[in-house]
Amino acid sequence: MENETITLVATDLDGTFLDSHKKVPAINREVISCLKDHGILFGIASGRPIETVRPMIHDWGIEQDVSFIVGMNGGVLYDLRRRDKEEYHLISSNVVLKIIRFFEDLDVEFHVVMGPTRYTSKSNEKTRADALMFGETEIEVNMHEFMQNRDINKLMMHFEPSYMPVILERASHFYDARVVGFATSDTLFEYVDPHINKGFGMKKLAKHYGVPLETIMAFGDAPNDQEMLGLVGCGVCMANGSKESKMNARYVTTLTNDEGAVGHFIEDHLLKKGEGNVSVG
């Protein structure tokens, strides 16, 4: 992308737009409110469901500045202005049950998020507090019964950080062409349809708004952001980001999410370019 005009900015939430306390740094809030004055659309690209992100952007006081939400790692697109929701490539219940049977002897909790509700195989005070932090209500269910005839966006496995090598070793022996698995944090491993990732979400977003992928700026930090960062014209990874995302990004910030890296990058690379000349050369 050579001096390409930016028409749209998308950002991951956790570890990127939000600080370690799940709050929006002041600089991020201030800068995104200026984007629409430059004719630039702004929105969220998250692994979270649309139904929990919507009330949160209201609570954060940025609802008027958000035009879209790409949720469930690219599996759902929601246009806040038109109130349209598009959903893509669910995974079937029989595949989900196959995964559960393969991993259920390990020390993991299985999570399925549907709307604002997190259905889990094991619920306790700690997991309920975690769900609440993400705007979800947690309900414990028998996964084998609950997943009968239910197709879902993704299946999550939650565990202690030290347990990741065990999960990765077990996952290396699981194969089903109908799903792919990957870590999304040091405590989460997820399975989705092979078509689904945030890069897929960016393609749908570009088509929805009729803009070239080359004119999209995207921010991320985790391994599940790498496809998005590598696909758009200007992919930006946080200083605190993963090796995979840094390798796929065009830029790596010198600041972390706790230091408002998203806001400072937009301010320095877009807004200071001057009115009518919003570009990254």
Side-chain angles (χ1 to χ4, degrees):
M1 185 177 77
E2 186 63 30
N3 203 37
E4 187 75 63
T5 298
I6 298 299
T7 61
L8 187 153
V9 173
T11 181
D12 171 57
L13 288 176
D14 304 296
T16 304
F17 190 67
L18 304 180
D19 63 22
S20 299
H21 302 289
K22 309 299 182 187
K23 303 295 184 183
V24 181
I27 181 67
N28 291 358
R29 195 188 317 272
E30 293 163 9
V31 164
I32 65 167
S33 68
C34 298
L35 286 176
K36 59 176 173 286
D37 295 333
H38 292 267
I40 301 174
L41 296 170
F42 173 80
I44 307 299
S46 174
R48 301 189 191 191
I50 303 297
E51 291 81 2
T52 60
V53 176
R54 283 186 63 194
M56 283 184 167
I57 62 176
H58 174 77
D59 293 343
W60 295 327
I62 62 173
E63 193 169 27
Q64 296 305 311
D65 303 315
V66 178
S67 296
F68 60 85
I69 303 168
V70 176
M72 304 303 274
N73 283 323
V76 185
L77 171 61
Y78 184 77
D79 184 324
L80 272 78
R81 305 297 174 245
R82 293 167 48 180
R83 302 188 183 277
D84 285 345
K85 179 180 176 181
E86 299 175 18
E87 206 164 21
Y88 320 104
H89 299 296
L90 301 179
I91 52 177
S92 66
S93 59
N94 63 313
V95 177
V96 175
L97 289 168
K98 178 181 177 182
I99 300 169
I100 290 172
R101 286 192 294 268
F102 192 80
F103 287 92
E104 65 185 347
D105 63 305
L106 300 182
D107 188 15
V108 300
E109 296 115 34
F110 297 100
H111 295 330
V112 172
V113 178
M114 303 179 72
T117 306
R118 177 192 296 185
Y119 298 94
T120 183
S121 58
K122 299 175 188 175
S123 181
N124 55 50
E125 188 174 342
K126 183 179 178 181
T127 62
R128 288 191 292 273
D130 181 72
L132 189 62
M133 183 172 61
F134 286 91
E136 300 164 0
T137 301
E138 184 173 89
I139 299 176
E140 182 175 323
V141 295
N142 179 310
M143 278 292 173
H144 291 277
E145 295 176 359
F146 180 76
M147 281 310 308
Q148 295 296 326
N149 301 313
R150 275 195 170 95
D151 298 342
I152 61 173
N153 295 104
K154 64 179 180 178
L155 175 69
M156 296 181 286
M157 290 186 290
H158 180 262
F159 42 84
E160 293 298 319
S162 61
Y163 208 56
M164 180 64 83
V166 177
I167 299 298
L168 295 177
E169 164 61 20
R170 179 64 65 88
S172 70
H173 299 289
F174 180 85
Y175 177 75
D176 190 305
R178 296 169 291 181
V179 288
V180 293
F182 47 85
T184 54
S185 75
D186 60 353
T187 62
L188 283 176
F189 193 89
E190 304 182 2
Y191 278 96
V192 300
D193 181 281
H195 295 89
I196 296 301
N197 58 60
K198 290 187 183 181
F200 174 89
M202 290 300 102
K203 290 180 182 178
K204 292 296 185 181
L205 188 65
K207 183 178 180 181
H208 181 79
Y209 285 109
V211 301
L213 281 165
E214 292 76 20
T215 67
I216 295 178
M217 176 181 285
F219 294 89
D221 74 300
N224 66 320
D225 295 316
Q226 61 180 303
E227 291 88 356
M228 171 176 72
L229 299 183
L231 184 69
V232 300
C234 186
V236 185
C237 184
M238 303 295 96
N240 53 282
S242 69
K243 176 181 66 177
E244 297 91 341
S245 286
K246 286 179 178 178
M247 287 175 61
N248 281 276
R250 179 176 175 185
Y251 295 97
V252 177
T253 64
T254 58
L255 303 176
T256 68
N257 62 311
D258 284 322
E259 298 170 303
V262 171
H264 285 291
F265 189 92
I266 292 173
E267 185 176 57
D268 293 341
H269 289 77
L270 292 186
L271 302 184
K272 287 184 179 177
K273 292 286 184 178
E275 199 79 38
N277 183 32
V278 183
S279 61
V280 174

